[in-house]
Amino acid sequence: MDALLNAVMRPLVRLQMDGKVPLAKAMGVTLLNMGNGVASSALAAKPELMDELGHVHPCAVFTLAETCSGGAMAGGFASVILKVRPVAAQVDFETLAPAQGRCIARSRIDGDVPALKQELRKAGKVFFPVLVDVMDEQGRDVARMRVLWNLKRT
């Protein structure tokens, strides 16, 4: 039943996620895909997102990564997303290199999604990390993020 709900809900959740965060929408972050605990997002190279050296500003890269983590969370919990309150409880962000051009973020839940859902069903809440890697258009790793998500039944 959970697999069927995921199959039905994931496309709907994806439509809702794209443009859900006003800041990310204003920056041009788009959700490329979302699966069972995984997602990818893109940030177009826009002049207003560049710093004084012509690199993508780290704040824009942060927004891309954090938004992508939400895609992985929502994709993994699509079958119950309307019954929980998700909160990004803690974020660790590290820039590795200056980003140039279009950036792509890839995220994944760091854990067993079915076991996490079982914990949510039993305890009414669950904490889990989502890991995000960001690459620029040259294929260089430019940032990484770890978001600790807290989901609580409503």
Side-chain angles (χ1 to χ4, degrees), residues 22-91:
L23 177 62
K25 183 178 181 180
M27 289 182 166
V29 173
T30 56
L31 183 63
L32 299 175
N33 66 55
M34 176 176 32
N36 187 23
V38 297
S40 64
S41 297
L43 175 68
K46 297 166 57 173
E48 58 270 25
L49 300 179
M50 302 302 159
D51 66 15
E52 64 280 359
L53 300 175
H55 302 119
V56 180
H57 197 284
C59 290
V61 176
F62 179 97
T63 301
L64 168 66
E66 197 274 335
T67 302
C68 190
S69 80
M73 175 277 301
F77 288 83
S79 64
V80 296
I81 198 70
L82 298 176
K83 299 175 185 175
V84 297
R85 185 187 61 158
V87 174
Q90 180 181 348
V91 177

Side-chain angles (χ1 to χ4, degrees), residues 77-142:
F77 288 83
S79 64
V80 296
I81 198 70
L82 298 176
K83 299 175 185 175
V84 297
R85 185 187 61 158
V87 174
Q90 180 181 348
V91 177
D92 296 312
F93 178 70
E94 180 181 9
T95 56
L96 305 172
Q100 296 181 333
R102 182 175 188 254
C103 294
I104 301 289
R106 290 184 173 78
S107 60
R108 63 179 167 75
I109 291 176
D110 188 21
D112 179 55
V113 175
L116 292 168
K117 284 183 177 180
Q118 183 66 21
E119 184 178 338
L120 177 63
R121 277 191 284 277
K122 285 182 179 178
K125 62 183 176 180
V126 65
F127 291 87
F128 58 91
V130 172
L131 306 177
V132 186
D133 294 303
V134 182
M135 295 173 56
D136 67 8
E137 70 183 15
Q138 284 78 30
R140 293 178 305 150
D141 292 324
V142 295

